[in-house]
């Protein structure tokens, strides 16, 4: 009853963007605890650009009452979104866009190597539902994660708050649990390196069955109400000291 919870989640932000948003908004709220729900795609670009969102907003124009105009525009927008994702998915683009934010490091090179072996050996892990696992072979992406967490650690030490991270499950792991454990293990090692707590929620969600926790059949990234409840219960138990 003496606890206030504020949700500062913003769709599509990676960890560095989350930390920057916290600097602009969160610090003035004087938190005792900062909680980050870590999504498997949070080490890269995974959201449509602002330009794409603005294009979607233009669908309200009168011309799009015509069925033919809708079909042509949807086709063009899907092509544009595909090209954007192909660009932002590339390692070269990521390094160029983040060159000032990548910490020099050799993060858990054995883990990265093992994950690279799994991805190379399984074509399904290189594309489709498991495409984000390829990002965890990249020291540059882990280096950006390190930059973000180190920046947050500086604020935690200055302001006297604690930080806790927990994984939001990717709801398509199935037989690829080892690969996801390695990916989240890299994040955990970076969090603990900064003195942050890691709450492992994956055993809870896996026991429930990840496919049953999807908000809809083809959406592997967003849990349904039951999935959110499982995560909330695990977090509440931790905060209550159980």
């Amino acid at each position: 009853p003496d606890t206030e919870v504020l949700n500062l989640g913003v769709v599509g932000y990676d960890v560095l963007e989350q930390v920057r948003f916290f600097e602009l908004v969160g610090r003035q709220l004087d938190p005792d605890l900062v909680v980050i729900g870590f999504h498997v795609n949070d080490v890269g670009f995974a959201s449509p650009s602002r330009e794409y969102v603005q294009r979607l907003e233009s669908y309200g124009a009168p011309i799009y009452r015509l069925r033919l105009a809708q079909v042509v525009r949807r086709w063009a927008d899907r092509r544009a979104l595909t090209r954007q994702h192909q660009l932002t998915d590339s390692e070269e683009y990521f390094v160029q866009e983040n060159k000032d934010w990548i910490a020099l490091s050799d993060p858990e090179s054995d883990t990265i190597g093992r994950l690279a072996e799994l991805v190379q050996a399984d074509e399904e892990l290189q594309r489709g539902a498991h495409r984000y696992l390829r990002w965890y072979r990249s020291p540059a992406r882990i280096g950006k994660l390190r930059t973000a967490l180190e920046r947050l650690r500086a604020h935690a030490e200055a302001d006297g708050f604690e930080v806790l991270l927990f994984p939001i499950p990717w709801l398509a792991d199935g037989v690829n649990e080892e690969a996801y454990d390695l990916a989240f293990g890299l994040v955990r090692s970076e969090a603990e390196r900064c003195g942050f707590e890691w709450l492992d929620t994956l055993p809870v969600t896996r026991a429930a069955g990840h496919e049953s926790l999807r908000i809809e059949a083809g959406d592997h990234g967003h849990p349904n109400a039951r999935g959110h409840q499982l995560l909330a219960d695990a977090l509440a138990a931790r905060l209550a000291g159980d």
Side-chain angles (χ1 to χ4, degrees), residues 10-238:
V10 179
V11 63
Y13 276 10
D14 67 20
V15 178
L16 184 58
E17 291 168 320
Q18 292 169 13
V19 172
R20 181 58 180 146
F21 184 69
F22 173 77
E23 291 172 343
L24 296 173
V25 177
R27 288 189 73 186
Q28 62 185 310
L29 301 174
D30 192 25
D32 298 305
L33 175 68
V34 172
V35 178
I36 297 177
F38 189 89
H39 205 276
V40 73
N41 64 18
D42 282 351
V43 293
F45 302 108
S47 295
S49 65
R50 179 180 298 177
E51 177 185 353
Y52 182 79
V53 173
Q54 290 171 340
R55 286 167 64 92
L56 294 181
E57 291 173 344
S58 70
Y59 274 71
I63 190 174
Y64 294 113
R65 296 173 187 169
L66 300 175
R67 179 61 178 163
L68 179 59
Q70 294 176 19
V71 170
V72 172
R73 178 63 185 276
R74 286 180 64 190
W75 175 82
D77 284 345
R78 285 178 177 175
R79 283 178 57 88
L81 184 61
T82 298
R83 287 195 300 270
Q84 177 199 338
H85 283 172
Q86 289 172 343
L87 174 64
T88 58
D89 194 46
S90 71
E91 188 71 4
E92 295 78 9
Y93 181 87
F94 181 87
V95 172
Q96 177 61 32
E97 290 294 302
N98 294 282
K99 58 182 182 296
D100 297 328
W101 306 106
I102 297 174
L104 296 177
S105 62
D106 182 23
E108 299 290 337
S109 57
D110 290 343
T111 303
I112 289 180
R114 176 58 182 150
L115 185 55
E117 291 176 4
L118 290 174
V119 172
Q120 293 285 26
D122 190 336
E123 184 177 344
E124 286 298 316
L125 298 186
Q126 301 183 48
R127 56 181 177 81
H130 303 286
R131 62 191 181 278
Y132 298 125
L133 285 173
R134 293 182 292 109
W135 291 354
Y136 288 83
R137 301 179 301 171
S138 165
R141 295 177 191 271
I142 305 303
K144 182 182 177 182
L145 171 66
R146 177 173 292 190
T147 296
L149 296 182
E150 288 180 342
R151 189 162 176 155
L152 184 59
R153 176 177 63 182
H155 295 309
E157 292 174 348
D159 297 349
F161 61 80
E162 299 180 26
V163 179
L164 180 149
L165 287 80
F166 71 93
I168 298 175
W170 185 248
L171 305 173
D173 55 303
V175 298
N176 301 307
E177 290 185 1
E178 180 182 359
Y180 283 93
D181 284 343
L182 288 170
F184 281 121
L186 286 171
V187 181
R188 177 175 186 165
S189 67
E190 291 298 319
E192 293 179 342
R193 177 179 174 274
C194 289
F196 301 157
E197 181 178 352
W198 177 266
L199 176 63
D200 189 5
T201 55
L202 292 179
V204 174
T205 56
R206 281 177 178 162
H210 279 171
E211 289 190 4
S212 71
L213 302 182
R214 297 177 187 171
I215 196 168
E216 57 183 32
D219 190 333
H220 304 103
H222 300 92
N224 56 22
R226 182 166 178 252
H228 280 285
Q229 187 66 58
L230 290 172
L231 295 171
D233 288 345
L235 183 58
R238 153 61 186 85

